Structure formats: C-alpha cells, structure tokens
Amino acid sequence: MFSRVKNLLAGPKPPSPPGTPDTSTAAREKKPEDKENEAKNVGMSKGEPGKEGQEMPPPEPRPVVINQYSDEQLLAIVKKMRERTVYYKEKVLDQYASSPEITPPVTPLLGKDRYARVMEERTRQAEEDRIVKEEADKKKKEEQEQKKKEADQKKKETEEQKKEEMAALALEQQKEKKKLAEVVVASVVASVDAVLRPLEEAMDSVLGHTIDPFTDRVYIAWLSLVTLAFNYNIWFSTARLCFPYHTAEAIPYWFLLDSLADLVYLMDCLLFQPRRQFVMGGDVIKDRLLTKKNYRNTERFKTDMMCLIPFDLLYMQFGFKSIFRANRLLKADTFFEFSDRLESLMTKAYIWRVIRTIGYLLFMLHLNACFYYVASDYQGIGQTKWVYSGKGSAYLRCYYHAVRSLINIGGLSEPQTVFEITFQMLNFFIGVFVFSSLIGQMRDVIGAATTGQTYFRTSMDNTVSYMVNNHIPALVQNRIRTWYTYTWDAQGMLDESELLDKMPLVMRTAIAVDINLATFQKIALFQGCDQQMLLDMLLRLKSIIYLPGDFVVKKGDIGKEMYIIKSGAVQVVGGPDNSIVFVTLKAGCVFGEISLLQSSKDGGNRRTANVKAHGFVNLFVLEKKDLFDILVHYPESQKVLARKGKKLMKAKGPAAKIEEQKKTGLALFAPKPPTPKLLRAFGGNFNKLLKLKNAAS
C-alpha cells in the first residue's frame, strides 16, 4: 500500500526522447477491441469461469483496516493526487492546454487616448455609482433615524401625556383637598371672628381701628410687654429644664407665670397683629378686614400659631417639664421688631444697642451655667473637684463658674476625667469666639455712637493747628474755639445742610415749613406772594451762628442777604462806639429784606444801620442771588415785590428817619428850614460864576 502511495507522490516523469513511442498516447488511442479484451480479463480476475471452464485464482485479500476514518482520508488523498498527476502530465505534454477555470474574455487593444478616455469614463462612472450609493445609504439612514426619532417622539409624547394626565388628576385632587381645607379653615376663622367681634369692637376705643406699626406708641409699648414674655420663656424655660426647680411648692407659681406669658402671646395674635397696617402697591391699607387677611397670609401668623400649640397638656402624661414649652421660643421676631422700633424712637439709640449687647453676653453665660450643671449632674454632683459641689445656690455657683470659664479668667479647678477635659476645652474655645464677637460688636456700637463727636474733634483740631501754624492772634483763636463748641452743643453738627441734603425734597420742605413758614408769612414784604415761591425760598435758607458782640451787618456795607432770627437776639446800634441800642430784635424777626430788592444805581442796597449779636444768635440767611433765581419762575410775585419795595423805601426815607429819630430821642431840634428861593437863586448863580472863573484860569 505504501509503495502505491510512493509511486503517486513520485510526481510526473520527464518526457521521453524523440522517437520513443508515447505510451500514454498509445493508451489513449486503444482500439475498442482492446477495451473489450480488458473487460474480459477483469471479469476473469473477479472469479468468473472462463470459456474453458477453468477457474481463476482468488484475488488478493485487502489489507486490514485499522481506522476507517484514516483509511477514507488516505483514499481521498490518493484520488486527488492521481487527478493532479494526470493534469500535470497533460501540462507537460501540451503547454497550451487549458485550465479548468473559465477563460476570461479577450481584451481588445485600444489606443492611448481612447484608453485614457475609457479609464476616465470608468472612473467617473465608478464615482457616480459611489455617490449614488452613498446618497442612497444616507437617505436610508436618515429615514431610519427619522422613523426612530418619530417613534421616540411618539413614545415621549405618550409618556408626557400620561404624566400630564396624572399630574392633572393629582392637581385636581390637591385642589379639592385644598378647597375643602380652605372651607374648613374659613368656617373656623368665621366662627372665631364672630366670637371675638365684641372684644375687638371694645378695643377699638383704645387701640384704634388699625395700628401704624412704625409710629404708634401704644403698639410699641405692647411690643415691650410681648418681649418681656419672650424673655421670661427663653430664660426661665432653659433654667427650669436644667436645674431642679420643679418642686411641689414652686410648680403652682410656675404654672401661673406660664399662663400669663401665654395670655400675652394670645392677645398679641388676636388683638394687635391683625390691626397692623401694611403697604400694597404704594398705598397704606387701613381697612380692618384687609389687615386681618394680610396677617393671616404671612409667615408670622404661622409662627404665632405654632407658638400657641398647647404642648403643656402633655404634663398630665409625662409630668411638669419645661421642655414642652420650647415652641414658645419661636416668638423671637417680636423681640427684634421691638428693638428696631425702639431704636427709631430714641434720640441716642446707641444706649439701647449697648444694653442689648450686654443682654446677649449675659444670656450666653446663662446657657453655659445650665450646661455646666447638666455636666455636673452627669458626672455626679460633688464627685470631683471640677463639678458643682452641691453647696449653696446651684444657679449662682454655676453662673460664677461660667463667667470665669468663658471669660478665661483662670483659677478654676482642674478637670479630672476625659469628659470634664473635653467640656472645659469646648468652653474655652466657645468663650474665645463668643467674646471676641461681642467685643467687636460693642466696639462698633460705641464707634457709631461717637462718630459725630470724633468728626467734631477732628475738625476743631485741624482748625486749631491751622491757626497756630499761621500765628493767628489768641483772641481770634478763642472766638473760633467758642464758635465750634457752641455750634456743636446747639445743633449737634457743624453744618445742617449736610444732613438735609441726604433727605428727599418732600422731607426737606416739610422741615423748612415747620420751622420758618409762619415767620415768612408775617414779613410784610412777602405778603401776597405766591405760596410756592415762599416754599422755594425756605429751601434756600442757610443757618449761621454768630457769637456775642459779632456784627451781623454794618452801616454802609453792600446788602446781599436777608436774615431771619431762629434763636437768640440782635440789637440795632449806633452813636459813638455803637454804644446806643435803638431796638432789640428777637426770635422770629426779620431784617435786611429791603436791600434784596434795591439796585446799586441809587445806593439803595447799602446797609443803613449796624446790627450786632446780643449773645449767641442763630440766623437763617437768604442771599440775593437765590432770591433772583427764584423770582425768574414767578413774574407776578416779582412785580408785587418791586411795588412793595418802593413803598417800603419811601416809608423808610429821610422823613421817616427823622420821625424815627424823634421817637428815639436822637433829634433834639427840629430840622433846618429850607433856604428861600431868592437866596437859592443868588447862591446858585454865584457858584456858577466861581466855577467858570476857575475853569478859565
């Protein structure tokens, strides 16, 4: 068997030399008779009897097959190798023999130009086919994406629709519940209002129909009472919670005080807060029904209701414990409101700020004393040197320890256990933080309280330094120091305009009207003028302080101002050394008004008398420039002032001066009689001749 395989693998034999008969070709060209003889021989080899009846020898037995699969594979290989041998023999004999593959078509020969055009056409066609394919793929992909997007959108819309339906259903249910709750609340509120209406009507005579929460003194006094009740709850509830003060003898007194504090809370919620006015759209709402409705819609009403929840009823189940009054501490907004209202009313608000800061400090010490007692009770009272010993007043002893601990005074007993050490370290850390904050706040309060005084001292020191550097006489320096001191003591500032300029025009006008309008209306020169012009003049007034003996105006000076006496008095003086006092003008009087309307052509704007300050005088000054700026807008009033100015000038002319001098005793003799006409004519001609002679010479 292996010899057969070797013969198969031997490969094709080399071709025989020429002249040698080709056995393979001869074998292919056998005659039909030879084929028949071979068939007969084959049949004889298979055991068929011959013609002569003789039997052929039996065929050789086939080799033993050990593995059927291996045998089949070897037979297949043998078959393939035989086929390949035959093919190679044919290839060796005829090198032009065709292969079993299909012969490709013959490519015609093309010229170079035609071949280039054909290749270009093929390239273009391939590119077009590629583009068409890409567009088709892109379109198909877009269609798929569009379908997917539409499906997702439809799914999303369906989900959203379901959610909207569920939300609408939930909202409708919520509205129904809310509506039912509103109906219940409205019925309860209506019942409460019906019960309280007689009490509210009885309190109208005391409190008024509504309350202005910013200016009503009764409301602010009531806030002080509510603040007192709040402080009772926040101080004593914590103390009773930590210290053993709920004894059988003290419980009735605690219960009475708790009831009084709750009664104050209840009255504030029912009688005062519903009356508070509020602003809506710029209008102050004073309707009782609207103020009550507004209060019940605010967060403050909810907080007040939470404060009034009677958790005290749990006393019956758990015993008398102040922890059930913890909701009363939610009334803290009333304390801060009272603080703001009190600051707006006090002249020196920094006093209340200092008191409030000290209160914060004392309350922090109070809390620390409570914690110290709880820690001592946890460790065991009197068990170590650090805890409370149990002797004396527990609160005072613990408060004393809290003061020394938080302020870090020292001299305390050393803590023994880990708990005591941790507690004391927290005390020190909290004490440093709290006291640094309180000291900073106290510094800010005191700094804000003395800001004006600091500004005054700085201004005065700078002025004194300037005078010393320029060698100003001591008398002038003393007068300037006096002016600074009196000005600051009299009005609390050096220049009132700095304060008034920060106010809106309406507020400045209201202040000016309250101070000077009545005085302006009494001035004869301004009677009959436009009322609005008087208001504009009031806004142009400036405050000036004069020292005793200062001349406000001097005779012969150009008159550019008019003066109104705010406080003090001035004297009109004359004679030698201005020792004669003609008249004394006091607060509310006006002088210098005529010079405002007279021009300098005829000398009418010259001062006709000396006016000197008698003591310290505070004057309001109106300058001529400001008056003319105002009269531009009021032509009718300008005409009225011009006519009145002329009349006053005539009334205060030479004849009027003589009459005034007679009244004051200055004119002891009658005026000199006029010169006769004849003598006047002669004297006049003689004077003319003298002038002509002098001119000729």
Side-chain angles (χ1 to χ4, degrees):
M1 178 180 179
F2 289 101
S3 61
R4 295 177 183 176
V5 175
K6 183 177 180 182
N7 293 331
L8 290 174
L9 297 176
K13 295 180 180 180
S16 58
T20 305
D22 191 355
T23 57
S24 61
T25 307
R28 287 196 302 268
E29 295 179 357
K30 287 181 179 180
K31 295 181 179 180
E33 292 85 2
D34 297 335
K35 292 182 180 180
E36 291 178 0
N37 295 329
E38 289 180 359
K40 291 178 179 180
N41 293 332
V42 170
M44 292 173 65
S45 65
K46 289 182 180 178
E48 295 180 357
K51 294 181 179 180
E52 297 178 357
Q54 297 179 357
E55 292 182 1
M56 297 295 293
E60 296 179 0
R62 298 185 62 181
V64 179
V65 178
I66 299 174
N67 189 329
Q68 183 67 28
Y69 175 77
S70 300
D71 188 65
E72 290 177 356
Q73 294 296 323
L74 289 174
L75 291 176
I77 293 172
V78 169
K79 184 178 179 181
K80 289 182 180 180
M81 295 305 294
R82 285 177 178 174
E83 292 175 354
R84 183 174 295 180
T85 302
V86 173
Y87 170 72
Y88 282 154
K89 285 180 179 181
E90 292 178 355
K91 198 71 175 174
V92 170
L93 296 176
D94 185 7
Q95 57 181 351
Y96 298 104
S98 61
S99 63
E101 289 84 3
I102 300 174
T103 303
V106 179
T107 304
L109 297 176
L110 301 175
K112 186 176 181 181
D113 296 337
R114 184 171 177 81
Y115 176 77
R117 288 196 299 270
V118 170
M119 294 303 296
E120 183 179 355
E121 182 68 21
R122 289 180 180 179
T123 304
R124 184 182 61 79
Q125 187 66 30
E127 184 68 20
E128 290 178 357
D129 294 342
R130 185 184 64 79
I131 293 173
V132 171
K133 186 177 180 181
E134 288 181 355
E135 290 179 353
D137 294 342
K138 185 177 180 181
K139 186 176 181 181
K140 185 177 180 180
K141 187 176 180 181
E142 289 179 353
E143 290 177 355
Q144 292 177 354
E145 291 180 353
Q146 183 67 22
K147 290 180 180 180
K148 184 177 179 181
K149 188 176 181 181
E150 290 177 356
D152 295 342
Q153 183 69 21
K154 188 175 181 180
K155 184 178 179 181
K156 187 176 180 181
E157 289 178 356
T158 305
E159 293 178 355
E160 289 181 355
Q161 186 176 1
K162 290 182 180 179
K163 289 182 180 179
E164 289 177 358
E165 292 176 356
M166 296 295 293
L169 182 61
L171 183 61
E172 185 176 355
Q173 294 177 355
Q174 187 177 1
K175 286 183 178 180
E176 292 179 356
K177 293 180 181 179
K178 187 176 181 180
K179 187 176 181 181
L180 180 61
E182 289 178 354
V183 171
V184 174
V185 171
S187 60
V188 173
V189 169
S191 302
V192 173
D193 290 342
V195 173
L196 295 177
R197 187 172 294 111
L199 180 60
E200 291 178 352
E201 293 176 353
M203 294 297 294
D204 285 345
S205 59
V206 179
L207 303 178
H209 196 66
T210 56
I211 295 174
D212 184 0
F214 296 98
T215 59
D216 196 319
R217 299 297 180 92
V218 176
Y219 176 70
I220 297 175
W222 171 255
L223 285 180
S224 65
L225 184 60
V226 179
T227 302
L228 181 63
F230 169 74
N231 278 279
Y232 163 77
N233 286 320
I234 198 173
W235 282 77
F236 285 92
S237 295
T238 52
R240 289 157 50 188
L241 181 63
C242 300
F243 291 90
Y245 288 154
H246 286 169
T247 60
E249 296 81 7
I251 285 178
Y253 298 102
W254 291 126
F255 188 79
L256 177 61
L257 293 175
D258 292 347
S259 301
L260 291 176
D262 294 345
L263 180 62
V264 171
Y265 278 17
L266 183 63
M267 291 181 63
D268 180 66
C269 181
L270 297 179
L271 299 179
F272 285 86
Q273 297 302 324
R275 298 172 184 264
R276 294 174 76 248
Q277 300 172 5
F278 67 98
V279 178
M280 183 174 64
D283 298 330
V284 180
I285 306 301
K286 299 181 180 180
D287 188 355
R288 171 79 67 78
L289 296 178
L290 295 179
T291 57
K292 187 182 298 184
K293 184 178 180 181
N294 176 71
Y295 168 63
R296 289 172 179 171
N297 291 332
T298 58
E299 294 293 331
R300 184 167 186 172
F301 174 73
K302 299 177 183 178
T303 305
D304 291 344
M305 291 296 100
M306 293 178 65
C307 289
L308 294 174
I309 296 176
F311 290 114
D312 309 68
L313 298 177
L314 297 175
Y315 290 163
M316 296 182 291
Q317 179 67 25
F318 300 99
F320 195 80
K321 298 180 180 179
S322 61
I323 188 62
F324 299 126
R325 295 186 57 81
N327 60 321
R328 303 298 192 274
L329 306 184
L330 298 176
K331 199 71 174 176
D333 55 345
T334 303
F335 169 75
F336 294 110
E337 182 185 3
F338 168 71
S339 180
D340 293 339
R341 300 295 179 268
L342 188 63
E343 286 183 8
S344 63
L345 292 179
M346 294 181 65
T347 305
K348 298 181 178 180
Y350 66 89
I351 297 176
W352 167 249
R353 297 191 188 106
V354 172
I355 294 174
R356 183 180 59 193
T357 305
I358 295 174
Y360 292 158
L361 171 61
L362 297 178
F363 183 70
M364 293 300 297
L365 294 172
H366 166 78
L367 291 180
N368 189 264
C370 295
F371 292 147
Y372 174 68
Y373 183 84
V374 172
S376 300
D377 187 43
Y378 174 77
Q379 288 288 100
I381 294 177
Q383 296 296 323
T384 62
K385 294 182 179 180
W386 181 81
V387 300
Y388 167 57
S389 62
K391 300 178 181 179
S393 175
Y395 183 78
L396 290 178
R397 296 274 183 172
C398 293
Y399 202 92
Y400 174 75
H401 182 275
V403 171
R404 301 192 66 176
S405 177
L406 282 184
I407 304 179
N408 298 322
I409 295 177
L412 299 171
S413 300
E414 291 293 331
Q416 304 296 326
T417 64
V418 175
F419 176 80
E420 294 174 357
I421 294 173
T422 304
F423 186 89
Q424 194 62 38
M425 288 176 63
L426 289 176
N427 259 352
F428 288 148
F429 291 148
I430 294 173
V432 170
F433 173 74
V434 171
F435 276 88
S436 61
S437 301
L438 292 177
I439 290 172
Q441 186 175 0
M442 188 70 73
R443 181 202 61 190
D444 295 340
V445 170
I446 296 175
T450 59
T451 300
Q453 187 71 21
T454 303
Y455 170 73
F456 163 71
R457 294 305 312 175
T458 303
S459 300
M460 186 172 180
D461 292 343
N462 293 336
T463 304
V464 171
S465 176
Y466 174 80
M467 292 188 296
V468 170
N469 292 334
N470 290 275
H471 307 289
I472 305 298
L475 179 61
V476 178
Q477 292 188 24
N478 292 333
R479 290 180 61 81
I480 292 176
R481 289 191 181 93
T482 304
W483 180 86
Y484 265 100
T485 304
Y486 177 79
T487 301
W488 183 259
D489 293 339
Q491 56 190 25
M493 60 189 69
L494 299 177
D495 188 2
E496 291 181 350
S497 60
E498 294 181 0
L499 177 64
L500 296 176
D501 290 342
K502 298 177 182 178
M503 295 183 181
L505 180 61
V506 177
M507 300 299 176
R508 282 185 286 156
T509 304
I511 294 175
V513 167
D514 184 69
I515 296 176
N516 294 317
L517 182 60
T519 303
F520 254 75
Q521 290 175 344
K522 294 178 182 179
I523 301 174
L525 180 63
F526 299 128
Q527 290 179 357
C529 294
D530 194 326
Q531 193 76 8
Q532 186 61 39
M533 188 197 76
L534 298 181
L535 296 178
D536 291 343
M537 292 172 63
L538 293 177
L539 296 175
R540 301 295 184 95
L541 295 178
K542 298 178 182 178
S543 177
I544 298 179
I545 293 178
Y546 288 89
L547 302 181
D550 285 349
F551 279 91
V552 181
V553 297
K554 289 186 177 181
K555 186 175 181 179
D557 291 345
I558 302 297
K560 298 179 181 179
E561 302 91 2
M562 180 190 75
Y563 299 93
I564 301 174
I565 303 176
K566 178 182 178 182
S567 62
V570 297
Q571 294 177 339
V572 181
V573 297
D577 300 330
N578 296 314
S579 58
I580 301 175
V581 178
F582 297 122
V583 65
T584 301
L585 304 176
K586 296 184 178 180
C589 295
V590 180
F591 61 93
E593 69 275 15
I594 300 300
S595 62
L596 292 180
L597 302 176
Q598 299 299 320
S599 63
S600 59
K601 294 180 180 179
D602 52 357
N605 63 338
R606 295 281 182 176
R607 300 294 188 185
T608 57
N610 295 323
V611 179
K612 185 174 65 173
H614 181 64
F616 292 96
V617 184
N618 193 348
L619 303 177
F620 283 117
V621 180
L622 177 65
E623 297 181 356
K624 180 184 289 188
K625 179 181 179 299
D626 294 333
L627 178 62
F628 285 170
D629 292 341
I630 294 172
L631 290 177
V632 172
H633 304 286
Y634 302 96
E636 296 297 330
S637 299
Q638 186 175 5
K639 295 177 182 178
V640 173
L641 290 177
R643 290 195 300 268
K644 288 189 174 184
K646 292 179 181 179
K647 291 181 181 179
L648 290 174
M649 285 299 297
K650 291 180 180 179
K652 294 186 178 182
K657 290 182 180 179
I658 293 173
E659 292 297 330
E660 185 177 356
Q661 290 176 357
K662 284 183 178 180
K663 293 179 181 179
T664 56
L666 296 178
L668 301 177
F669 303 98
K672 183 180 179 180
T675 304
K677 294 182 180 180
L678 181 61
L679 295 178
R680 276 206 313 266
F682 177 76
N685 295 331
F686 182 73
N687 290 333
K688 289 180 181 179
L689 292 174
L690 289 176
K691 290 179 180 179
L692 291 173
K693 184 177 180 181
N694 292 331
S697 60

